[in-house]
Amino acid sequence: MRGVSLATPYLHIDLPQLRINVRRAADQAALVGVALRPHAKTHKSAEVARLQLAHGAVGLTVATVGEAEHFVRQGCRDVFIAFPVWVDEGRATRLRDLRDQADRLAIGVDSVESAGNAGRRLGHTGIEVLVEVDSGHHRTGVAPEQAGVVARAAQRAGLPVRGVFTFPGHGYGPGGSEAAAHDERTALETARDSIQQVGIEEPVLSGGSTPTLAASLTSRAATELRPGVYVFGDAQQWELGIFEPDDISLTVHATVVSHAGGRVVLDAGSKTLGADRAAYSSGYGRLLEHPEARIVTLSEHHAVVQMPGPRPALGSLVSVVPNHVCSAVNLADTFWVAEPGGLRAWPVGARGLHT
Amino acid sequence: MRGVSLATPYLHIDLPQLRINVRRAADQAALVGVALRPHAKTHKSAEVARLQLAHGAVGLTVATVGEAEHFVRQGCRDVFIAFPVWVDEGRATRLRDLRDQADRLAIGVDSVESAGNAGRRLGHTGIEVLVEVDSGHHRTGVAPEQAGVVARAAQRAGLPVRGVFTFPGHGYGPGGSEAAAHDERTALETARDSIQQVGIEEPVLSGGSTPTLAASLTSRAATELRPGVYVFGDAQQWELGIFEPDDISLTVHATVVSHAGGRVVLDAGSKTLGADRAAYSSGYGRLLEHPEARIVTLSEHHAVVQMPGPRPALGSLVSVVPNHVCSAVNLADTFWVAEPGGLRAWPVGARGLHT
């Protein structure tokens, strides 16, 4: 990448900061004896996964069978698909193949019916399940006190039950992380009691998200946590007060292309940053070098920035912190990683593996 | 695709309906003598582009140099990059190479400074420019009465000026299309007068978007229109009253994976549908078979649907109409096109070409 600078927009990784973020969470989890099974949907990268595993992660979490296939191919031997996978014939074949290549493989189930369906096609293959429980996010997952019923259905269908899992996604809100971590704890404890009644003595209790990570580590209710965003950070974590801007390791490098009407317009839009905008977000992303600036409108290939003070010149580079880093990563084929000699390309290898 | 059904979520194209949509706009434009230069950022597909060109499109519009490279490689000889490209050294090399492979190539400029910068690197190569003017969307583009000033700067820098262009994006709002088409007309007429004063006698006046298409064709102020979404339609067009549900040619096929808490949860989330949600949108997408249903929350891999009446069974398929089809296409590698013998794969060939 000498001579001609890289064309914008592109994803830029600050490798020393990424390493710090991975190590910090690993150290914190090790200190309290909680396992980390990071969610790889955030980074979709074998390089980042290896870093996590080298720092003691017990395995990876993924969202789809396709992501599981990718990371097993890349050498990760222990993968949990944290999703209530509906096991049709095609997915059953893929999961059985995957089981043969991995040391441990698990999927989520969240009803007696989905456990039975999975069991008909995957029973007695060694593929395990975790029962998803709803800790307050109200998406998927049974009520925690129903975990045992679903676990029993899975057992009867020939699926070993590893434990329960939940996603306290309602922690994504201002001041919401402590309460969500408390809900997570209550849900996991209730679910533990429920599945112990069907004979699962030492279940994995899997929780966690980046905003609730600190509180979940303190409470030690979960035996395993699955944060994803913590490796990079993003504008949501910044605005929730979970991340300091200095701790963010991934930005989108963009060029100022227009000063029309006194505005500052960048060449990074929703097709690079993602269109996510939470109710609490102050705009469509932040600028690392201009913390007072706000992206006030976003088109597919344009970001319109409002900022006090002098405007950056046409043609100058800025570092945009996307609102939701998982979405931005999912739109790119390549990370550009800053190293002493220049920029190195890391593939976003699991991008697009949505099935 | 026999025997095992295709894994969800995936993009499904109704080919007969796609052909109808392409032909209808082509016929309407031909009737009033307005040229169509469809925006290929919507479909990113050589197959769809060939259909448009076969129906009389004068060339393609694209958003990035990378998209231009793709479509020229695929045989389109006339491409306009409707974006105020900041021409650095790398992009200048790529654009000069592209000029050698195409019959006609043009880029947008929207300031004296960007015209001068482009001219320093691309002057006297035959690459043309169109001056972008702001017709009320307030993103990029100079005031229409300033078009001549920018055109003059481009001419002095050795860039032939083909005309002016505008994007009436403020037509994306309930009842907004007529007013935006009126603004477009006024802006193009003002800009025409302005650039005729610097000696450009018969400028191309390029406008258009899908919501404003009908009104722009009626007014005939534009000599060329650049709609994109019209080939597929989406939930935004549906809810704006521009598209009937029956005219929509692209849906995301998804599976019902959970009934947790009485909800209907699909396996298509923001990583497949896109996270776009306009102020006027009634949710995060619509269901073609269940027009009364609403996607009330969207995660990366989950859509939570609220619907009256009986819930579709676990494991059943539904057709989701994404809010903004350009975003959904940009997330996929493949279209699955329904044909009499089954499903055929069309590549989303220009996906990810954001630079």
Side-chain angles (χ1 to χ4, degrees), chain B residues 264-337:
Chain B
V264 173
V265 186
L266 311 178
D267 63 357
S270 62
K271 282 181 171 172
T272 306
L273 301 172
D276 300 66
R277 182 172 180 174
Y280 59 83
S281 294
S282 69
Y284 289 96
R286 297 288 290 268
L287 271 62
L288 207 53
E289 301 90 358
H290 304 276
E292 72 294 352
R294 293 295 183 277
I295 299 178
V296 290
T297 60
L298 196 69
S299 311
E300 289 164 58
H301 296 277
H302 308 71
V304 179
V305 182
Q306 218 164 54
M307 57 196 303
R311 294 180 304 185
L314 285 175
S316 58
L317 274 187
V318 296
S319 308
V320 183
V321 184
N323 270 350
H324 184 190
V325 73
C326 304
S327 294
V329 169
N330 185 50
L331 291 161
D333 292 308
T334 307
F335 298 109
W336 292 97
V337 182

Side-chain angles (χ1 to χ4, degrees), chain A residues 84-104:
Chain A
V85 179
W86 187 260
V87 182
D88 56 16
E89 195 184 322
R91 279 205 178 79
T93 304
R94 292 164 65 195
L95 286 165
R96 286 191 301 257
D97 287 350
L98 200 55
R99 174 65 191 87
D100 294 338
Q101 298 155 38
D103 293 333
R104 298 186 79 196

Side-chain angles (χ1 to χ4, degrees), chain B:
Chain B
M1 299 314 306
R2 299 300 179 116
V4 174
S5 59
L6 199 56
T8 58
Y10 64 87
L11 302 191
H12 178 276
I13 287 182
D14 174 344
L15 185 55
Q17 188 59 48
L18 171 66
R19 289 180 186 279
I20 289 170
N21 295 347
V22 170
R23 191 180 315 123
R24 184 186 293 153
D27 289 349
Q28 289 168 345
L31 194 67
V32 295
V34 170
L36 277 193
R37 182 181 287 279
H39 211 316
K41 73 177 167 65
T42 300
H43 56 69
K44 299 176 181 292
S45 153
E47 285 74 11
V48 180
R50 281 186 206 114
L51 205 56
Q52 293 172 318
L53 294 168
H55 281 83
V58 296
L60 294 181
T61 304
V62 297
T64 67
V65 178
E67 289 181 353
E69 290 166 335
H70 176 79
F71 284 104
V72 169
R73 261 196 315 271
Q74 294 290 328
C76 176
R77 312 280 306 169
D78 181 343
V79 178
F80 167 43
I81 307 171
F83 189 86
V85 181
W86 186 259
V87 183
D88 56 15
E89 196 184 320
R91 279 204 178 79
T93 303
R94 293 164 65 196
L95 286 166
R96 286 191 302 256
D97 288 350
L98 200 55
R99 175 65 191 87
D100 294 339
Q101 298 155 37
D103 293 333
R104 296 184 80 195
L105 178 63
I107 65 171
V109 292
D110 81 339
S111 65
V112 167
E113 198 173 347
S114 69
N117 176 65
R120 273 190 296 282
R121 290 187 158 129
L122 300 176
H124 312 289
T125 61
I127 296 172
E128 298 172 284
V129 299
L130 284 85
V131 177
E132 183 171 10
V133 299
D134 181 2
S135 53
H137 187 44
H138 304 327
R139 187 175 68 184
T140 40
V142 290
E145 57 274 16
Q146 296 296 310
V149 177
V150 178
R152 173 64 60 88
Q155 290 175 318
R156 287 187 176 148
L159 294 169
V161 178
R162 186 187 296 172
V164 299
F165 76 107
T166 193
F167 174 62
H170 57 311
Y172 275 81
S177 60
E178 291 279 340
H182 177 268
D183 292 345
E184 175 192 72
R185 174 185 190 152
T186 308
L188 289 177
E189 287 172 346
T190 303
R192 179 196 59 206
D193 295 346
S194 176
I195 72 164
Q196 281 179 339
Q197 286 171 21
V198 300
I200 299 154
E201 290 305 328
E202 293 196 26
V204 165
L205 305 175
S206 179
S209 69
T210 294
T212 53
L213 181 62
S216 298
L217 285 171
T218 304
S219 83
R220 301 192 207 189
T223 63
E224 169 187 290
L225 293 170
R226 308 184 317 278
V229 172
Y230 78 101
V231 294
F232 297 135
D234 57 22
Q236 287 184 172
Q237 304 296 331
W238 178 358
E239 299 196 335
L240 287 171
I242 307 295
F243 253 70
E244 295 296 324
D246 284 350
D247 294 337
I248 291 168
S249 67
L250 184 148
T251 51
V252 175
H253 283 200
T255 300
V256 178
V257 295
S258 177
H259 280 168
R263 293 177 288 272
V264 173
V265 186
L266 311 178
D267 63 357
S270 62
K271 282 181 171 172
T272 306
L273 301 172
D276 300 66
R277 182 172 180 174
Y280 59 83
S281 294
S282 69
Y284 289 96
R286 297 288 290 268
L287 271 62
L288 207 53
E289 301 90 358
H290 304 276
E292 72 294 352
R294 293 295 183 277
I295 299 178
V296 290
T297 60
L298 196 69
S299 311
E300 289 164 58
H301 296 277
H302 308 71
V304 179
V305 182
Q306 218 164 54
M307 57 196 303
R311 294 180 304 185
L314 285 175
S316 58
L317 274 187
V318 296
S319 308
V320 183
V321 184
N323 270 350
H324 184 190
V325 73
C326 304
S327 294
V329 169
N330 185 50
L331 291 161
D333 292 308
T334 307
F335 298 109
W336 292 97
V337 182
E339 294 191 326
L343 291 173
R344 180 197 292 202
W346 283 1
V348 185
R351 189 209 55 75
L353 304 180
H354 302 312
T355 66

Side-chain angles (χ1 to χ4, degrees), chain A:
Chain A
M1 299 314 305
R2 299 301 179 115
V4 173
S5 60
L6 199 56
T8 57
Y10 64 88
L11 301 191
H12 178 276
I13 288 183
D14 174 344
L15 184 54
Q17 187 60 48
L18 170 66
R19 289 180 187 278
I20 288 169
N21 295 347
V22 170
R23 191 180 316 120
R24 183 187 294 152
D27 289 350
Q28 289 168 346
L31 194 67
V32 294
V34 171
L36 277 193
R37 182 181 288 277
H39 211 314
K41 73 177 166 69
T42 301
H43 55 69
K44 299 175 181 291
S45 155
E47 285 75 10
V48 179
R50 282 187 206 113
L51 204 57
Q52 292 171 320
L53 294 167
H55 281 84
V58 296
L60 294 181
T61 305
V62 297
T64 67
V65 178
E67 288 180 355
E69 289 166 336
H70 176 80
F71 284 104
V72 169
R73 260 196 316 271
Q74 294 291 327
C76 177
R77 313 279 307 168
D78 182 343
V79 177
F80 167 42
I81 307 171
F83 189 86
V85 179
W86 187 260
V87 182
D88 56 16
E89 195 184 322
R91 279 205 178 79
T93 304
R94 292 164 65 195
L95 286 165
R96 286 191 301 257
D97 287 350
L98 200 55
R99 174 65 191 87
D100 294 338
Q101 298 155 38
D103 293 333
R104 298 186 79 196
L105 178 64
I107 66 171
V109 291
D110 79 341
S111 65
V112 167
E113 197 173 349
S114 69
N117 176 65
R120 274 189 297 282
R121 292 189 157 127
L122 300 176
H124 312 288
T125 62
I127 296 174
E128 298 171 284
V129 299
L130 284 86
V131 177
E132 184 171 9
V133 299
D134 181 3
S135 53
H137 187 44
H138 305 324
R139 189 175 66 185
T140 41
V142 290
E145 56 274 17
Q146 296 296 311
V149 177
V150 178
R152 171 65 58 88
Q155 288 174 321
R156 287 185 176 150
L159 294 168
V161 179
R162 188 188 295 172
V164 298
F165 77 107
T166 194
F167 174 62
H170 56 311
Y172 275 81
S177 61
E178 290 280 340
H182 177 266
D183 292 345
E184 174 191 74
R185 175 186 189 152
T186 308
L188 289 176
E189 287 172 348
T190 303
R192 180 197 57 209
D193 294 346
S194 175
I195 73 166
Q196 280 178 341
Q197 286 172 20
V198 300
I200 299 154
E201 290 304 327
E202 293 195 27
V204 166
L205 306 175
S206 180
S209 69
T210 295
T212 53
L213 181 61
S216 298
L217 285 171
T218 303
S219 84
R220 300 191 206 190
T223 64
E224 169 187 291
L225 293 170
R226 309 183 317 279
V229 172
Y230 78 101
V231 294
F232 297 136
D234 57 21
Q236 287 184 172
Q237 304 294 332
W238 178 358
E239 299 196 335
L240 287 171
I242 306 295
F243 252 71
E244 295 296 323
D246 284 351
D247 294 337
I248 291 169
S249 67
L250 183 148
T251 51
V252 176
H253 283 199
T255 300
V256 178
V257 294
S258 177
H259 279 167
R263 294 177 286 273
V264 173
V265 185
L266 311 178
D267 63 358
S270 61
K271 282 182 172 171
T272 307
L273 300 172
D276 300 66
R277 183 173 177 172
Y280 59 83
S281 294
S282 70
Y284 289 96
R286 298 288 291 266
L287 273 60
L288 206 53
E289 301 89 356
H290 304 276
E292 74 293 350
R294 292 295 183 278
I295 297 179
V296 290
T297 60
L298 196 68
S299 311
E300 289 163 60
H301 295 277
H302 308 72
V304 178
V305 183
Q306 217 164 56
M307 59 195 302
R311 296 180 302 187
L314 286 175
S316 58
L317 275 186
V318 297
S319 308
V320 182
V321 184
N323 270 350
H324 184 189
V325 73
C326 303
S327 293
V329 169
N330 184 49
L331 291 161
D333 292 307
T334 308
F335 297 110
W336 291 96
V337 182
E339 294 191 328
L343 291 173
R344 181 197 292 204
W346 282 2
V348 185
R351 189 209 54 76
L353 305 179
H354 302 313
T355 65

